[in-house]
């Protein structure tokens, strides 16, 4: 695992976009996308580079990490709308090439298995972008999720519901409490992982993930035993780490 510490959010976004640009140039075909706040500056930087003619997503397929269960189809906070608004609609992604778990299926367990199969059929994820929850989740894999789990239906931890209520006007009861998420095992199968972490609120969990045990108690800890993982964080998020970046 490589750890890159940058001064602030703009520099983190630039470093993350540099990595994605480099992988696009060397033939990346399947990109795994996270939603949430953290990757937005990276996506904005990629949009800027696309407009400048530097990067293209033509022919690239994207797989989202997760999707809420229970929102009406087309709700502005469902992740397939969020990613479109924040990123994919502003670059040359084919809309059909951006996939997400079918949270509207009458049979979400079957939809989960189909999503894993779809990722496999696409040849697997070349580079998976990840954020981290304050409780150590990646995707919506809350602490305790087995490290070999596949895409599945899950309940959100209370802390995650509270954190995500900022996207729902601060109304906790408006936040769905269930989701379909790629499993930790699914995420680990990506050929490369890029974990982006910013802000002082993530300092404790980042230290746990990078310095504690690799264990279900902190799903994000799996970045450490992945053969090609890069963690890019800002100084604020790095505050709990001993400082030995590569
Ligand atoms: C979103 C996702 C989540 C977020 C995490 C951090 O698709 O999978 O794991 O990455 O909740 O969210 P932010 O970046 O909003 O702090």
């Amino acid at each position: 695992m490589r750890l890159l510490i940058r001064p602030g959010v703009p520099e983190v976004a630039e470093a993350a976009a540099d990595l994605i640009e480099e992988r696009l140039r060397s033939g990346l075909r399947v990109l795994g996308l996270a939603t949430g706040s953290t990757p937005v500056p990276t996506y904005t930087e990629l949009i800027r580079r696309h407009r400048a003619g530097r990067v293209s997503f033509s022919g690239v397929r994207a797989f989202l990490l997760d999707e809420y269960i229970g929102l009406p189809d087309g709700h502005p906070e469902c992740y397939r709308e969020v990613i479109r608004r924040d990123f994919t609609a502003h670059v040359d992604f084919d809309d059909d090439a951006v996939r997400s778990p079918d949270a509207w299926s009458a049979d979400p367990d079957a939809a989960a298995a189909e999503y894993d199969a779809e990722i496999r059929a696409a040849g697997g994820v070349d580079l998976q972008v990840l954020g981290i929850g304050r409780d150590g989740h990646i995707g919506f894999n809350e602490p305790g999720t087995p490290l070999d789990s596949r895409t599945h239906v899950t309940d959100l931890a209370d802390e995650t519901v509270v954190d995500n209520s900022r996207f729902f006007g601060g109304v906790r009861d408006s936040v769905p409490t269930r989701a379909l998420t790629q499993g930790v095992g699914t995420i680990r199968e990506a050929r490369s992982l890029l974990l982006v972490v910013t802000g002082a609120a993530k300092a404790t969990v980042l230290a746990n993930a990078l310095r504690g045990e690799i264990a279900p108690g902190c799903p994000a800890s799996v970045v450490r035993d992945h053969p090609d993982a890069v963690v890019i964080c800002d100084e604020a998020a790095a505050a709990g780490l001993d400082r030995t970046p590569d």
Side-chain angles (χ1 to χ4, degrees):
M1 185 206 83
R2 281 198 306 145
L3 171 64
L4 308 179
I5 301 176
R6 295 290 177 266
V9 170
E11 294 86 1
V12 167
E14 201 163 312
D18 284 349
L19 179 76
I20 295 168
E21 178 176 343
E22 176 205 308
R23 298 298 169 96
L24 284 165
R25 288 186 196 284
S26 53
L28 175 148
R29 279 287 158 265
V30 181
L31 182 60
L33 295 174
T35 47
S37 306
T38 310
V40 172
T42 300
Y43 297 151
T44 303
E45 175 61 15
L46 288 169
I47 294 166
R48 192 189 69 73
R49 292 182 190 196
H50 171 70
R51 290 182 177 150
R54 264 171 78 174
V55 297
S56 168
F57 297 88
S58 167
V60 174
R61 300 188 68 181
F63 286 91
L64 267 59
L65 278 172
D66 39 24
E67 183 60 272
Y68 290 119
I69 293 176
L71 290 179
D73 198 357
H75 187 287
E77 288 309 322
C78 74
Y79 283 164
R80 70 181 183 202
E81 294 300 326
V82 169
I83 202 71
R84 218 175 263 153
R85 193 167 65 232
D86 287 347
F87 181 33
T88 58
H90 308 286
V91 295
D92 54 349
F93 260 114
D94 188 346
D95 217 27
D96 289 342
V98 182
R99 314 298 300 165
S100 53
D102 182 5
W104 294 273
S105 167
D107 185 346
D109 294 322
E114 278 159 26
Y115 198 58
D116 269 340
E118 198 179 342
I119 293 173
R120 228 174 285 122
V125 172
D126 291 314
L127 174 65
Q128 176 65 57
V129 178
L130 296 169
I132 184 173
R134 283 190 307 134
D135 61 1
H137 70 241
I138 49 174
F140 274 133
N141 294 284
E142 300 288 13
T145 309
L147 300 187
D148 60 355
S149 50
R150 314 302 312 171
T151 299
H152 61 283
V153 176
T154 189
D155 293 318
L156 273 54
D158 282 349
E159 190 177 27
T160 305
V161 171
V162 170
D163 282 351
N164 288 6
S165 65
R166 71 191 191 281
F167 299 113
F168 292 84
V171 182
R172 185 198 164 125
D173 287 351
S174 303
V175 185
T177 56
R178 293 171 78 221
L180 261 171
T181 183
Q182 285 191 31
V184 184
T186 315
I187 293 169
R188 295 171 92 179
E189 282 172 9
R191 280 179 274 280
S192 305
L193 301 178
L194 167 59
L195 173 63
V196 182
V197 191
T198 54
K202 300 286 177 69
T204 304
V205 73
L206 185 61
N208 286 344
L210 301 193
R211 305 292 184 241
E213 241 191 309
I214 300 173
C218 184
S221 62
V222 297
V223 296
R224 280 163 46 216
D225 71 355
H226 189 280
D228 182 28
V230 181
V231 178
I232 306 180
C233 69
D234 65 358
E235 291 281 356
L241 301 175
D242 49 59
R243 308 303 296 273
T244 48
D246 315 338

